[in-house]
């Protein structure tokens, strides 16, 4: 049996992060999401510092979901730093942007984002997005060292 | 999906049987995209850079997504990924590895090179259809693909 997909939600709005994490973790056997709300908190989480010094509180994420506008529009910088870091560069980063047809979409791919999703606002959109997200990253894709075995039977 | 301007999917795969299977699985899963095929890494780069047989962009619409086999003749998948990701005009295009490999080394190396996803092909056609359905739903219904920057390929 494979373990649940681990997602780190890096999202400034505490409310929105909680909604996302709860929708992602609807089936805890499929996905478990943690949330951080600033670039500094993300760094603490990834380095297991501060309140994340107990490794059990900061499991290594399989996928990072990154709010592009976090911490004063620092998404691009955060993404670049992750992609330069040998420990983290193999972790796919999915970027959350405010809207379609925005400069952010192009920038997110340019800086090494794995894919880009428009922030789901309504409840049906939230459900559709998180459902397809979990299904894709957990059942279809093979991630480094995650023990995810995809569909091969 | 009734999209008047379907997003082009470019499939790089050297094995003709595998090309056909991918095409049929995408059709079966109702991913109604404009599908294009190239047979090796060199042809892939010619397509993307609109050179050689693709000079002037003839039959080479810019893809919204690349499905790439790792092991191809002439220029293999790894070299092609490195080249695409080093090109500011091309690096935005998401690359999905579609391979029979399950080797952890291939998985790690591919993500290190900057692919968006690594998918190990299932052994059955039904499995492949399931994969294509979930892939289509994620990439074409949920994800916002990079805007088409036709003419900016360097």
């Amino acid at each position: 049996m494979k373990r649940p997909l681990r997602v780190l939600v890096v999202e400034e709005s505490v409310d929105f992060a909680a909604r996302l994490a709860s929708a992602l973790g609807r089936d805890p056997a499929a996905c478990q999401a943690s949330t951080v709300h600033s670039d500094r908190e993300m760094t603490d989480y990834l380095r297991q510092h501060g309140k994340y010094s107990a490794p059990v509180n900061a499991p290594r994420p399989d996928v990072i979901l990154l709010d592009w506008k976090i911490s004063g529009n620092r998404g691009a910088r955060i993404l670049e730093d992750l992609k330069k870091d040998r420990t983290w560069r193999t972790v796919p980063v999915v970027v959350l942007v405010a809207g379609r047809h925005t400069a952010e979409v192009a920038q997110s791919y340019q800086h090494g984002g794995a894919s880009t999703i428009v922030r789901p606002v309504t409840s049906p959109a939230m459900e559709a997005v998180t459902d397809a997200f979990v299904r894709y990253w957990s059942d279809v894709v093979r991630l480094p060292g995650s023990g995810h075995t995809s569909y091969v039977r | 999906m009734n999209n008047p301007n379907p997003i082009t999917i470019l499939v790089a795969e050297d094995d003709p049987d595998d090309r056909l299977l991918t095409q049929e699985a995408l059709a079966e899963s109702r991913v109604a995209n404009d599908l294009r095929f190239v047979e090796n890494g060199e042809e892939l780069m010619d397509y993307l850079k609109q050179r050689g047989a693709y000079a002037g962009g003839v039959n080479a619409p810019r893809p919204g997504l690349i499905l790439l086999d790792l092991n191809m003749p002439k220029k293999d998948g790894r070299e092609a990924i490195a080249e695409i990701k080093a090109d500011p005009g091309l690096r935005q295009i998401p690359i999905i590895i579609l391979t029979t490999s399950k080797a952890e080394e291939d998985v790690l190396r591919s993500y290190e090179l900057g692919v968006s996803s690594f998918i190990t092909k299932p052994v059955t056609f039904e499995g492949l259809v399931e994969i294509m359905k979930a892939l289509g739903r994620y990439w074409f219904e949920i994800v916002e693909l990079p805007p088409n920057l036709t003419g900016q390929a360097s």
Side-chain angles (χ1 to χ4, degrees):
Chain A
M1 274 307 286
K2 69 181 190 187
R3 62 166 175 77
L5 178 77
R6 291 193 202 115
V7 180
L8 180 61
V9 177
V10 184
E11 160 64 46
E12 184 150 315
S13 155
V14 175
D15 285 350
F16 189 72
R19 278 182 67 203
L20 255 179
S22 137
L24 286 166
R26 208 163 31 234
D27 175 4
C31 179
Q32 291 172 4
S34 309
T35 57
V36 291
H37 308 293
S38 68
D39 53 347
R40 296 191 63 162
E41 196 186 353
M42 183 192 81
T43 307
D44 278 353
Y45 182 103
L46 295 179
R47 294 185 180 159
Q48 302 189 327
H49 279 178
K51 68 171 171 170
Y52 296 105
S53 54
V56 68
N57 293 332
R60 182 182 170 90
D62 298 310
V63 181
I64 294 173
L65 201 47
L66 173 67
D67 166 18
W68 195 247
K69 291 260 197 262
I70 197 164
S71 301
N73 217 354
R74 287 178 60 82
R77 181 65 190 279
I78 293 170
L79 182 51
E80 245 178 37
D81 287 347
L82 286 169
K83 291 298 157 191
K84 273 191 244 159
D85 188 320
R86 291 194 61 187
T87 311
W88 301 109
R89 61 177 307 168
T90 57
V91 177
V93 177
V94 176
V95 173
L96 283 170
V97 297
R100 308 183 62 191
H101 311 300
T102 57
E104 300 168 353
V105 176
Q107 287 161 9
S108 61
Y109 285 100
Q110 196 71 31
H111 287 91
S115 57
T116 301
I117 294 176
V118 175
R119 298 165 76 85
V121 177
T122 65
S123 295
M126 178 66 86
E127 192 169 328
V129 164
T130 52
D131 193 58
F133 181 96
V134 172
R135 181 135 164 67
Y136 180 75
W137 290 104
S138 155
D139 293 346
V140 174
V141 168
R142 185 178 290 268
L143 293 159
S146 68
H148 283 277
T149 48
S150 102
Y151 272 99
V152 182
R153 288 174 183 136
Chain B
M1 283 185 285
N2 292 315
N3 191 336
N5 290 307
I7 294 156
T8 297
I9 305 177
L10 180 58
V11 181
E13 165 66 63
D14 63 307
D15 185 299
D17 292 341
D18 283 344
R19 283 200 296 273
L20 192 61
L21 275 177
T22 301
Q23 186 169 20
E24 285 178 353
L26 281 166
E28 183 79 22
S29 60
R30 295 167 188 266
V31 175
N33 285 77
D34 173 36
L35 261 191
R36 307 278 168 150
F37 291 91
V38 289
E39 300 180 10
N40 59 61
E42 258 175 33
E43 196 187 346
L44 170 64
M45 296 317 300
D46 281 353
Y47 180 111
L48 292 172
K49 298 197 168 197
Q50 305 192 334
R51 302 181 304 218
Y54 300 99
V58 180
N59 288 322
R62 185 180 167 91
L65 200 58
I66 299 171
L67 301 185
L68 180 76
D69 183 17
L70 277 182
N71 300 305
M72 291 185 296
K74 292 190 182 173
K75 178 176 285 173
D76 85 349
R78 298 157 191 85
E79 281 176 80
I81 301 164
E83 214 173 303
I84 293 166
K85 291 302 172 188
D87 186 321
L90 298 175
R91 63 174 309 185
Q92 298 187 357
I93 306 171
I95 300 174
I96 298 172
I97 301 298
L98 198 57
T99 177
T100 51
S101 169
K102 297 181 210 173
E104 181 67 15
E105 193 192 321
D106 284 338
V107 178
L108 265 176
R109 180 97 178 96
S110 298
Y111 284 109
E112 245 160 35
L113 286 167
V115 304
S116 282
S117 307
F118 186 103
I119 298 175
T120 302
K121 271 197 274 191
V123 285
T124 65
F125 181 70
E126 292 72 25
L128 191 60
V129 172
E130 285 303 306
I131 290 269
M132 292 305 179
K133 270 187 197 162
L135 183 152
R137 191 165 152 235
Y138 181 74
W139 284 98
F140 303 120
E141 293 177 29
I142 302 296
V143 164
E144 200 59 36
L145 286 166
N148 197 338
L149 300 173
T150 311
Q152 289 194 18
S154 59

